[in-house]
Amino acid sequence: MEKQPLSIVILAAGKGTRMRSNTPKVLHKICGREMLYYSIKESLLLSDDVCVVLGFEGEKIENTMRIYFEDKIRFLYQDIENFPGTGGALKSYQPKYQKVLVLNGDMPLVQASELERFLDTDTPITMSVLESRNLSGYGRVIITDGEVREIIEEKDASAKVLAINTLNAGVYCFDKEILESYIPKLSNHNVQGEYYLTDVIALARQDSIKIAPLFVQLENFQGVNDKLDLAKAEEVLNARIKAFWMKRGVIMHLPETIYIEESVKFFGECVVENGVCIYGNSKITASHIKAHSIVESSTIMDSDVGPLAHLRPNSIVRNSHIGNFVETKNSELNGVKVGHLSYLGDSEVGSGTNIGAGFITCNYDGRAKYKTKIGKNVFIGSDSQAIAPITIEDDCLVGAGSTIRRNLKKGEFFITCGKEVIKEGFFYKFFNKKA
Ligand code: UD1
Ligand code: MG
């Protein structure tokens, strides 16, 4: 997509009261990234002059967005106290170019290809319109003879106006001069006592300026005002992420049951079964993730994982088999088989090693975490534990049911043998029964 001589301003100064949260609305996450991240990312595909207007918790939002975008965008702080509202947000905004696209920051589903459509018309104002009867929270758009006349906010609307099914989706394309002349003329004489950007429409109309409606789909222009909207937006975005990867060769079983975050990457041919969740900076290469496994910020190559495995952050798994009820964390496994019911934390395991069912790395003593090193071609019998810090060198053999408390040298056999106690016929004596 080519960059256009276009300025984009994203309004993100509001508190988002309807979210009922201490987190500013635009920092609520969708598929692992803050909602505002998505509209900035799409805007940068179209423009080299992207500005975000901040107010409530502005510094926190700026710092978070700088992690992703560094200096590629600029920030402007709104004087919320004196000029509240979406119109107040643009009070001191100066665009670089003639055409200015204004986006609400609470529209994470908007895509650059859709925003580009606003540039096709040459009217001084083009605004997005959704057609729907069952949505609330949107301004009603009065359209006659194909032109927009006025936007009436829901809170200011009469019952008759509320019945109108053309809604303001919250994206506008203005000629620079329109903002320059009408933003200073806005007033706050309305139910909310705010300066509404939407009143620019009525003011421009009084001067016979043409305002074109651009009909858009909810799929791209859904606003997020509460946590129900947030969940709906995540569903749409997650479906897009999965479609992207399936088109690139990832096989997914029952994809609607799978959750994959924006930052996850696949390479080569991978299979992801139903109910799998993959989070953070996970990188999956030529691997099979079986049903209901959870993978968090981990790297998996040429391996199969699950069903019902849990790879916690910084697990690096190469050429290995990880079976059901196995949990790993901050561990590197190269050519390892760990088939059942094990925990490998803060560990390193070498190739050819087989970890029996129920093996645990005891990596935490209540105060600090310690490392477990297991070499190549080691066989660890079932139901064993290694008390870290500990090193088990290559070619060791550990008998089932062992508690390994000391380092094992190359080629050693180790088993913990408790004293065996056998009492003949004890069962019958204990329960006072006959044999
Ligand atoms: C707004 C529109 C409404 C439209 C809807 C679409 C106005 C007056 N109303 O209503 O017609 O149907 O979006 O989603 O514009 N913001 C600021 N500064 C402020 C207030 C808000 O930057 O002082 C930002 C918010 O952070 C948010 C965006 O502007 O990202 C929209 O604000 P919001 O309160 O969600 O407006 P709506 O009530 O949804
Ligand atoms: Mg909104």
Side-chain angles (χ1 to χ4, degrees), residues 290-307:
K290 294 182 186 165
H292 301 286
S293 293
I294 293 179
V295 177
E296 301 173 72
S297 297
S298 289
T299 302
I300 304 172
M301 294 170 79
D302 305 308
S303 298
D304 64 290
V305 169

mmCIF file with all atom_site columns, all heavy atoms in Angstrom, residues 290-307:
data_model
loop_
_atom_site.group_PDB
_atom_site.id
_atom_site.type_symbol
_atom_site.label_atom_id
_atom_site.label_alt_id
_atom_site.label_comp_id
_atom_site.label_asym_id
_atom_site.label_entity_id
_atom_site.label_seq_id
_atom_site.pdbx_PDB_ins_code
_atom_site.Cartn_x
_atom_site.Cartn_y
_atom_site.Cartn_z
_atom_site.occupancy
_atom_site.B_iso_or_equiv
_atom_site.pdbx_formal_charge
_atom_site.auth_seq_id
_atom_site.auth_comp_id
_atom_site.auth_asym_id
_atom_site.auth_atom_id
_atom_site.pdbx_PDB_model_num
ATOM 1   N N   . LYS A 1 290 ? -1.110  -29.953 19.330 1.00 0.00 ? 290 LYS A N   1
ATOM 2   C CA  . LYS A 1 290 ? -2.338  -30.753 19.453 1.00 0.00 ? 290 LYS A CA  1
ATOM 3   C C   . LYS A 1 290 ? -3.354  -30.106 20.392 1.00 0.00 ? 290 LYS A C   1
ATOM 4   O O   . LYS A 1 290 ? -3.030  -29.201 21.164 1.00 0.00 ? 290 LYS A O   1
ATOM 5   C CB  . LYS A 1 290 ? -1.980  -32.161 19.901 1.00 0.00 ? 290 LYS A CB  1
ATOM 6   C CG  . LYS A 1 290 ? -1.168  -32.873 18.815 1.00 0.00 ? 290 LYS A CG  1
ATOM 7   C CD  . LYS A 1 290 ? -0.837  -34.287 19.198 1.00 0.00 ? 290 LYS A CD  1
ATOM 8   C CE  . LYS A 1 290 ? 0.084   -34.882 18.134 1.00 0.00 ? 290 LYS A CE  1
ATOM 9   N NZ  . LYS A 1 290 ? 0.723   -36.098 18.623 1.00 0.00 ? 290 LYS A NZ  1
ATOM 10  N N   . ALA A 1 291 ? -4.557  -30.652 20.354 1.00 0.00 ? 291 ALA A N   1
ATOM 11  C CA  . ALA A 1 291 ? -5.742  -30.035 20.965 1.00 0.00 ? 291 ALA A CA  1
ATOM 12  C C   . ALA A 1 291 ? -5.515  -29.520 22.387 1.00 0.00 ? 291 ALA A C   1
ATOM 13  O O   . ALA A 1 291 ? -4.865  -30.160 23.206 1.00 0.00 ? 291 ALA A O   1
ATOM 14  C CB  . ALA A 1 291 ? -6.883  -31.044 20.966 1.00 0.00 ? 291 ALA A CB  1
ATOM 15  N N   . HIS A 1 292 ? -6.078  -28.345 22.631 1.00 0.00 ? 292 HIS A N   1
ATOM 16  C CA  . HIS A 1 292 ? -6.147  -27.736 23.968 1.00 0.00 ? 292 HIS A CA  1
ATOM 17  C C   . HIS A 1 292 ? -4.798  -27.479 24.620 1.00 0.00 ? 292 HIS A C   1
ATOM 18  O O   . HIS A 1 292 ? -4.698  -27.446 25.845 1.00 0.00 ? 292 HIS A O   1
ATOM 19  C CB  . HIS A 1 292 ? -7.057  -28.563 24.890 1.00 0.00 ? 292 HIS A CB  1
ATOM 20  C CG  . HIS A 1 292 ? -8.454  -28.671 24.348 1.00 0.00 ? 292 HIS A CG  1
ATOM 21  N ND1 . HIS A 1 292 ? -9.323  -27.611 24.382 1.00 0.00 ? 292 HIS A ND1 1
ATOM 22  C CD2 . HIS A 1 292 ? -9.077  -29.675 23.708 1.00 0.00 ? 292 HIS A CD2 1
ATOM 23  C CE1 . HIS A 1 292 ? -10.447 -27.980 23.782 1.00 0.00 ? 292 HIS A CE1 1
ATOM 24  N NE2 . HIS A 1 292 ? -10.318 -29.218 23.356 1.00 0.00 ? 292 HIS A NE2 1
ATOM 25  N N   . SER A 1 293 ? -3.769  -27.298 23.828 1.00 0.00 ? 293 SER A N   1
ATOM 26  C CA  . SER A 1 293 ? -2.469  -26.911 24.401 1.00 0.00 ? 293 SER A CA  1
ATOM 27  C C   . SER A 1 293 ? -2.400  -25.396 24.487 1.00 0.00 ? 293 SER A C   1
ATOM 28  O O   . SER A 1 293 ? -3.072  -24.683 23.733 1.00 0.00 ? 293 SER A O   1
ATOM 29  C CB  . SER A 1 293 ? -1.327  -27.419 23.520 1.00 0.00 ? 293 SER A CB  1
ATOM 30  O OG  . SER A 1 293 ? -1.310  -28.826 23.565 1.00 0.00 ? 293 SER A OG  1
ATOM 31  N N   . ILE A 1 294 ? -1.556  -24.910 25.414 1.00 0.00 ? 294 ILE A N   1
ATOM 32  C CA  . ILE A 1 294 ? -1.358  -23.471 25.581 1.00 0.00 ? 294 ILE A CA  1
ATOM 33  C C   . ILE A 1 294 ? 0.115   -23.167 25.381 1.00 0.00 ? 294 ILE A C   1
ATOM 34  O O   . ILE A 1 294 ? 0.968   -23.804 26.015 1.00 0.00 ? 294 ILE A O   1
ATOM 35  C CB  . ILE A 1 294 ? -1.836  -23.030 26.985 1.00 0.00 ? 294 ILE A CB  1
ATOM 36  C CG1 . ILE A 1 294 ? -3.351  -23.208 27.070 1.00 0.00 ? 294 ILE A CG1 1
ATOM 37  C CG2 . ILE A 1 294 ? -1.429  -21.585 27.278 1.00 0.00 ? 294 ILE A CG2 1
ATOM 38  C CD1 . ILE A 1 294 ? -3.955  -22.850 28.398 1.00 0.00 ? 294 ILE A CD1 1
ATOM 39  N N   . VAL A 1 295 ? 0.398   -22.228 24.505 1.00 0.00 ? 295 VAL A N   1
ATOM 40  C CA  . VAL A 1 295 ? 1.791   -21.878 24.217 1.00 0.00 ? 295 VAL A CA  1
ATOM 41  C C   . VAL A 1 295 ? 1.950   -20.384 24.472 1.00 0.00 ? 295 VAL A C   1
ATOM 42  O O   . VAL A 1 295 ? 1.255   -19.566 23.880 1.00 0.00 ? 295 VAL A O   1
ATOM 43  C CB  . VAL A 1 295 ? 2.144   -22.193 22.736 1.00 0.00 ? 295 VAL A CB  1
ATOM 44  C CG1 . VAL A 1 295 ? 3.571   -21.772 22.425 1.00 0.00 ? 295 VAL A CG1 1
ATOM 45  C CG2 . VAL A 1 295 ? 1.930   -23.680 22.431 1.00 0.00 ? 295 VAL A CG2 1
ATOM 46  N N   . GLU A 1 296 ? 2.869   -20.030 25.385 1.00 0.00 ? 296 GLU A N   1
ATOM 47  C CA  . GLU A 1 296 ? 3.067   -18.615 25.715 1.00 0.00 ? 296 GLU A CA  1
ATOM 48  C C   . GLU A 1 296 ? 4.502   -18.210 25.364 1.00 0.00 ? 296 GLU A C   1
ATOM 49  O O   . GLU A 1 296 ? 5.443   -18.806 25.893 1.00 0.00 ? 296 GLU A O   1
ATOM 50  C CB  . GLU A 1 296 ? 2.876   -18.385 27.217 1.00 0.00 ? 296 GLU A CB  1
ATOM 51  C CG  . GLU A 1 296 ? 1.517   -18.783 27.752 1.00 0.00 ? 296 GLU A CG  1
ATOM 52  C CD  . GLU A 1 296 ? 1.482   -18.691 29.269 1.00 0.00 ? 296 GLU A CD  1
ATOM 53  O OE1 . GLU A 1 296 ? 1.475   -17.573 29.798 1.00 0.00 ? 296 GLU A OE1 1
ATOM 54  O OE2 . GLU A 1 296 ? 1.501   -19.750 29.915 1.00 0.00 ? 296 GLU A OE2 1
ATOM 55  N N   . SER A 1 297 ? 4.653   -17.219 24.514 1.00 0.00 ? 297 SER A N   1
ATOM 56  C CA  . SER A 1 297 ? 5.960   -16.661 24.149 1.00 0.00 ? 297 SER A CA  1
ATOM 57  C C   . SER A 1 297 ? 7.066   -17.712 24.096 1.00 0.00 ? 297 SER A C   1
ATOM 58  O O   . SER A 1 297 ? 8.078   -17.612 24.776 1.00 0.00 ? 297 SER A O   1
ATOM 59  C CB  . SER A 1 297 ? 6.358   -15.557 25.137 1.00 0.00 ? 297 SER A CB  1
ATOM 60  O OG  . SER A 1 297 ? 5.420   -14.511 25.058 1.00 0.00 ? 297 SER A OG  1
ATOM 61  N N   . SER A 1 298 ? 6.856   -18.725 23.284 1.00 0.00 ? 298 SER A N   1
ATOM 62  C CA  . SER A 1 298 ? 7.820   -19.829 23.183 1.00 0.00 ? 298 SER A CA  1
ATOM 63  C C   . SER A 1 298 ? 8.184   -20.082 21.729 1.00 0.00 ? 298 SER A C   1
ATOM 64  O O   . SER A 1 298 ? 7.461   -19.677 20.827 1.00 0.00 ? 298 SER A O   1
ATOM 65  C CB  . SER A 1 298 ? 7.210   -21.100 23.778 1.00 0.00 ? 298 SER A CB  1
ATOM 66  O OG  . SER A 1 298 ? 7.118   -20.964 25.177 1.00 0.00 ? 298 SER A OG  1
ATOM 67  N N   . THR A 1 299 ? 9.320   -20.790 21.539 1.00 0.00 ? 299 THR A N   1
ATOM 68  C CA  . THR A 1 299 ? 9.772   -21.125 20.193 1.00 0.00 ? 299 THR A CA  1
ATOM 69  C C   . THR A 1 299 ? 9.684   -22.634 20.024 1.00 0.00 ? 299 THR A C   1
ATOM 70  O O   . THR A 1 299 ? 10.228  -23.381 20.839 1.00 0.00 ? 299 THR A O   1
ATOM 71  C CB  . THR A 1 299 ? 11.230  -20.652 20.014 1.00 0.00 ? 299 THR A CB  1
ATOM 72  O OG1 . THR A 1 299 ? 11.254  -19.248 20.249 1.00 0.00 ? 299 THR A OG1 1
ATOM 73  C CG2 . THR A 1 299 ? 11.750  -20.942 18.621 1.00 0.00 ? 299 THR A CG2 1
ATOM 74  N N   . ILE A 1 300 ? 8.993   -23.068 18.990 1.00 0.00 ? 300 ILE A N   1
ATOM 75  C CA  . ILE A 1 300 ? 8.818   -24.507 18.759 1.00 0.00 ? 300 ILE A CA  1
ATOM 76  C C   . ILE A 1 300 ? 9.236   -24.809 17.323 1.00 0.00 ? 300 ILE A C   1
ATOM 77  O O   . ILE A 1 300 ? 8.739   -24.174 16.386 1.00 0.00 ? 300 ILE A O   1
ATOM 78  C CB  . ILE A 1 300 ? 7.340   -24.921 18.958 1.00 0.00 ? 300 ILE A CB  1
ATOM 79  C CG1 . ILE A 1 300 ? 6.855   -24.514 20.360 1.00 0.00 ? 300 ILE A CG1 1
ATOM 80  C CG2 . ILE A 1 300 ? 7.162   -26.413 18.743 1.00 0.00 ? 300 ILE A CG2 1
ATOM 81  C CD1 . ILE A 1 300 ? 5.365   -24.698 20.578 1.00 0.00 ? 300 ILE A CD1 1
ATOM 82  N N   . MET A 1 301 ? 10.171  -25.754 17.160 1.00 0.00 ? 301 MET A N   1
ATOM 83  C CA  . MET A 1 301 ? 10.617  -26.108 15.805 1.00 0.00 ? 301 MET A CA  1
ATOM 84  C C   . MET A 1 301 ? 10.585  -27.615 15.629 1.00 0.00 ? 301 MET A C   1
ATOM 85  O O   . MET A 1 301 ? 11.059  -28.346 16.513 1.00 0.00 ? 301 MET A O   1
ATOM 86  C CB  . MET A 1 301 ? 12.051  -25.634 15.572 1.00 0.00 ? 301 MET A CB  1
ATOM 87  C CG  . MET A 1 301 ? 12.180  -24.128 15.575 1.00 0.00 ? 301 MET A CG  1
ATOM 88  S SD  . MET A 1 301 ? 13.898  -23.639 15.601 1.00 0.00 ? 301 MET A SD  1
ATOM 89  C CE  . MET A 1 301 ? 14.288  -23.879 13.881 1.00 0.00 ? 301 MET A CE  1
ATOM 90  N N   . ASP A 1 302 ? 10.080  -28.078 14.508 1.00 0.00 ? 302 ASP A N   1
ATOM 91  C CA  . ASP A 1 302 ? 10.097  -29.500 14.140 1.00 0.00 ? 302 ASP A CA  1
ATOM 92  C C   . ASP A 1 302 ? 9.683   -30.404 15.300 1.00 0.00 ? 302 ASP A C   1
ATOM 93  O O   . ASP A 1 302 ? 10.352  -31.406 15.578 1.00 0.00 ? 302 ASP A O   1
ATOM 94  C CB  . ASP A 1 302 ? 11.510  -29.895 13.654 1.00 0.00 ? 302 ASP A CB  1
ATOM 95  C CG  . ASP A 1 302 ? 11.980  -28.999 12.528 1.00 0.00 ? 302 ASP A CG  1
ATOM 96  O OD1 . ASP A 1 302 ? 11.234  -28.851 11.554 1.00 0.00 ? 302 ASP A OD1 1
ATOM 97  O OD2 . ASP A 1 302 ? 13.073  -28.413 12.648 1.00 0.00 ? 302 ASP A OD2 1
ATOM 98  N N   . SER A 1 303 ? 8.620   -30.057 15.976 1.00 0.00 ? 303 SER A N   1
ATOM 99  C CA  . SER A 1 303 ? 8.222   -30.797 17.177 1.00 0.00 ? 303 SER A CA  1
ATOM 100 C C   . SER A 1 303 ? 6.722   -31.043 17.189 1.00 0.00 ? 303 SER A C   1
ATOM 101 O O   . SER A 1 303 ? 5.976   -30.406 16.431 1.00 0.00 ? 303 SER A O   1
ATOM 102 C CB  . SER A 1 303 ? 8.586   -29.987 18.422 1.00 0.00 ? 303 SER A CB  1
ATOM 103 O OG  . SER A 1 303 ? 9.981   -29.797 18.490 1.00 0.00 ? 303 SER A OG  1
ATOM 104 N N   . ASP A 1 304 ? 6.300   -31.970 18.063 1.00 0.00 ? 304 ASP A N   1
ATOM 105 C CA  . ASP A 1 304 ? 4.868   -32.056 18.314 1.00 0.00 ? 304 ASP A CA  1
ATOM 106 C C   . ASP A 1 304 ? 4.608   -31.851 19.798 1.00 0.00 ? 304 ASP A C   1
ATOM 107 O O   . ASP A 1 304 ? 5.387   -32.268 20.646 1.00 0.00 ? 304 ASP A O   1
ATOM 108 C CB  . ASP A 1 304 ? 4.260   -33.364 17.791 1.00 0.00 ? 304 ASP A CB  1
ATOM 109 C CG  . ASP A 1 304 ? 4.801   -34.570 18.491 1.00 0.00 ? 304 ASP A CG  1
ATOM 110 O OD1 . ASP A 1 304 ? 5.999   -34.893 18.270 1.00 0.00 ? 304 ASP A OD1 1
ATOM 111 O OD2 . ASP A 1 304 ? 4.061   -35.180 19.262 1.00 0.00 ? 304 ASP A OD2 1
ATOM 112 N N   . VAL A 1 305 ? 3.517   -31.146 20.056 1.00 0.00 ? 305 VAL A N   1
ATOM 113 C CA  . VAL A 1 305 ? 3.236   -30.676 21.411 1.00 0.00 ? 305 VAL A CA  1
ATOM 114 C C   . VAL A 1 305 ? 1.783   -30.992 21.743 1.00 0.00 ? 305 VAL A C   1
ATOM 115 O O   . VAL A 1 305 ? 0.889   -30.708 20.951 1.00 0.00 ? 305 VAL A O   1
ATOM 116 C CB  . VAL A 1 305 ? 3.458   -29.143 21.472 1.00 0.00 ? 305 VAL A CB  1
ATOM 117 C CG1 . VAL A 1 305 ? 2.934   -28.568 22.781 1.00 0.00 ? 305 VAL A CG1 1
ATOM 118 C CG2 . VAL A 1 305 ? 4.923   -28.781 21.280 1.00 0.00 ? 305 VAL A CG2 1
ATOM 119 N N   . GLY A 1 306 ? 1.548   -31.596 22.920 1.00 0.00 ? 306 GLY A N   1
ATOM 120 C CA  . GLY A 1 306 ? 0.182   -31.817 23.368 1.00 0.00 ? 306 GLY A CA  1
ATOM 121 C C   . GLY A 1 306 ? -0.335  -33.189 23.013 1.00 0.00 ? 306 GLY A C   1
ATOM 122 O O   . GLY A 1 306 ? 0.446   -34.040 22.596 1.00 0.00 ? 306 GLY A O   1
ATOM 123 N N   . PRO A 1 307 ? -1.634  -33.465 23.145 1.00 0.00 ? 307 PRO A N   1
ATOM 124 C CA  . PRO A 1 307 ? -2.677  -32.526 23.574 1.00 0.00 ? 307 PRO A CA  1
ATOM 125 C C   . PRO A 1 307 ? -2.494  -32.112 25.045 1.00 0.00 ? 307 PRO A C   1
ATOM 126 O O   . PRO A 1 307 ? -1.799  -32.781 25.793 1.00 0.00 ? 307 PRO A O   1
ATOM 127 C CB  . PRO A 1 307 ? -3.952  -33.356 23.417 1.00 0.00 ? 307 PRO A CB  1
ATOM 128 C CG  . PRO A 1 307 ? -3.493  -34.768 23.554 1.00 0.00 ? 307 PRO A CG  1
ATOM 129 C CD  . PRO A 1 307 ? -2.129  -34.819 22.951 1.00 0.00 ? 307 PRO A CD  1
#
